Amino acid sequence: MQARLAAKDIACRRGDRLLFRGLSIDCASGDTVHVSGANGIGKSSLLRILAGLLRPFAGEVLQIGEVGFVDERLALDANLPLGQALSFWERLDGCGEPGRALALLKLEPLMDVPVRYLSTGQRKRAALARLLNRNCPIWLLDEPLNGLDSEAQAVFETLVARHCEGGGIAVVASHQPIALGSPLVVDLARFTA
Amino acid sequence: MITTLLRRDLGLLLPGGRGGGGILPLLFFMAVAMLYPFAVGPDAQLLARTGGGIIWVAALLAAILPLEKLVTGDLETGVFDQLHLRGVSEELAMASRLAAHWLSFAPLLLVATLPAAALLGLDSATTRTVVLGLLAGTPGLAAVGLMVGALTASLRGGAALAGLMVIPLAVPILIFGAGALSTAGNGGIALSAAISLCLCAIAPFVAGAAIRSAREG
């Protein structure tokens, strides 16, 4: 199935502030988008709008295909061991082979560690495992590199490249440079109101 | 899907579950039943006449204790966002949470009513009325708790506010449920059950809307 993610002329308002306006993007299968911009410029809000979690102040969003979303919030139960916390989402997503994502992200030694003891980078890898287990075509990733070491960063870049080669869409918001092949760059500074 | 949700919610809320503190409402409830005779003195007739009402008040207040854990944690960690992206509606998530919330405190309270009634010297007919009334009324208390918990989840200091907000909303259940003690027949219990049904029917929708609005905020 062809995935598609399009936003037409969207604007975002948070409180009294208009963060950006007039932003349009159109991604088809295989596209990678890098959303860049300074802190507080509205990268996270843009991703939440694209995910359908936030209503845009103006404009509209079209999604064809399921959306996987990773931000700084882990959605894993802090008191449970990582394995059990992930297994809830595996069951919900009907994931057949959770072991693959765990091996890719080197999470196997951490399966018995309660989620609250994980480091920032480990938490990020856990969130990515939840995303991989779901097998959805559209990836929306908010600051996925935060806390990842250089090895994990390389793994992440490979994962995104492979996902897009396989017909997926990846939208990555990050203030850091990422090696993403040839991404479409959306610099939010150009759309500030 | 609903069983997966319910399993997780029960794990979160049941006594001994990972949420912790599941046993606290029960201890609180028993503590009230134990303290009351100390406070009013050993007049057996007075205790027997007022004991049923005290059990009701203790049950109502005990039902407030777990409210903080009901919605706030999952809202903060983004569980509801992830469920939304998977097409699980907030209403469904809240319906499952309502069932888990009731199961986590009400059966224990109903069992604990028996020793509490013994402590207060209630006769068997009164005890029966109290137990039946609580059986009819606790689903309503759980529903009020869930609605208020979801509405206050995104507020700072929401837990204290939630406790205060539950009390006036729970008054109708208390009036009919505890009122059944002083009137003959089961009319009060039936009315209490009717209010409970009504509240349980609207609670998932109210709580779901509250979560969606917290997400936009």
Side-chain angles (χ1 to χ4, degrees):
Chain A
M1 191 186 74
Q2 284 292 310
R4 185 158 172 238
L5 178 67
K8 197 174 151 212
D9 208 16
I10 53 172
C12 169
R13 194 177 82 160
R14 302 298 279 157
D16 291 337
R17 262 176 2 115
L18 198 59
L19 288 178
F20 55 78
R21 65 177 174 199
L23 193 154
S24 300
I25 51 173
D26 195 343
C27 318
S29 283
D31 283 348
T32 318
V33 182
H34 181 189
V35 181
S36 67
N39 295 145
I41 203 164
K43 296 190 293 294
S44 300
S45 298
L46 173 61
L47 256 62
R48 289 182 72 78
I49 288 174
L50 291 177
L53 292 170
L54 198 65
R55 245 182 316 213
F57 184 54
E60 54 198 75
V61 175
L62 170 82
Q63 307 159 339
I64 300 176
E66 294 208 305
V67 175
F69 182 67
V70 170
D71 64 356
E72 85 284 7
R73 295 178 311 159
L74 208 51
L76 297 174
D77 297 314
N79 293 325
L80 279 188
L82 179 61
Q84 284 181 40
L86 281 172
S87 73
F88 166 69
W89 296 108
E90 285 158 15
R91 277 199 303 272
L92 207 64
D93 295 337
C95 173
E97 41 162 3
R100 200 177 63 90
L102 299 177
L104 277 172
L105 291 155
K106 303 193 173 55
L107 282 169
E108 282 143 333
L110 301 172
M111 294 318 272
D112 295 327
V113 180
V115 172
R116 65 177 185 279
Y117 293 139
L118 296 181
S119 75
T120 316
Q122 289 167 339
R123 291 161 62 90
K124 208 86 221 184
R125 272 149 57 197
L128 290 171
R130 194 192 61 216
L131 175 76
L132 282 178
N133 281 341
R134 195 166 159 225
N135 204 11
C136 51
I138 304 176
W139 284 6
L140 299 174
L141 313 171
D142 190 6
E143 299 288 358
L145 295 186
N146 274 5
L148 289 188
D149 55 27
S150 51
E151 191 191 346
Q153 185 170 343
V155 170
F156 168 74
E157 285 160 357
T158 332
L159 286 176
V160 173
R162 216 185 289 167
H163 174 68
C164 293
E165 276 164 25
I169 295 174
V171 180
V172 183
S174 177
H175 61 277
Q176 289 164 278
I178 310 183
L180 287 175
S182 50
L184 183 77
V185 176
V186 176
D187 184 4
L188 273 185
R190 290 193 295 124
F191 299 96
T192 44
Chain B
M1 185 161 68
I2 184 100
T3 45
T4 313
L5 278 177
L6 193 61
R7 248 174 76 182
R8 172 172 181 276
D9 289 349
L10 281 173
L12 196 70
L13 296 169
L14 276 187
R18 58 187 179 274
I23 203 86
L24 210 60
L26 179 73
L27 293 176
F28 181 84
F29 177 79
M30 287 307 291
V32 173
M34 272 187 285
L35 287 175
Y36 184 65
F38 287 117
V40 301
D43 181 345
Q45 227 180 349
L46 179 69
L47 282 180
R49 208 172 63 238
T50 55
I54 282 298
I55 289 181
W56 259 96
V57 172
L60 197 161
L61 294 178
I64 292 176
L65 291 180
L67 290 193
E68 194 184 358
K69 293 181 305 175
L70 269 185
V71 181
T72 316
D74 280 357
L75 193 68
E76 277 166 4
T77 56
V79 172
F80 294 123
D81 287 354
Q82 294 293 338
L83 287 174
H84 180 87
L85 292 173
R86 285 158 174 80
V88 179
S89 69
E90 287 75 14
E91 284 77 10
L92 184 65
M94 283 297 103
S96 142
R97 186 82 27 121
L98 176 61
H101 175 40
W102 184 81
L103 285 171
S104 73
F105 82 93
L108 273 177
L109 279 195
L110 288 173
V111 173
T113 302
L114 300 176
L119 281 170
L120 297 166
L122 302 187
D123 58 46
S124 64
T126 315
T127 308
R128 184 181 153 275
T129 313
V130 172
V131 171
L132 283 179
L134 284 178
L135 189 62
T138 42
L141 293 181
V144 168
L146 183 74
M147 285 190 273
V148 169
L151 282 166
T152 55
S154 57
L155 302 180
R156 215 170 281 278
L161 186 64
L164 283 179
M165 281 171 69
V166 164
I167 291 170
L169 291 171
V171 161
I173 302 173
L174 183 70
I175 288 176
F176 291 115
L181 290 164
S182 53
T183 53
N186 289 333
I189 293 173
L191 276 171
S192 187
I195 297 171
S196 273
L197 267 178
C198 226
L199 287 168
C200 285
I202 61 169
F205 298 97
V206 173
I211 287 171
R212 271 196 297 275
S213 109
R215 180 182 293 143
E216 295 270 329

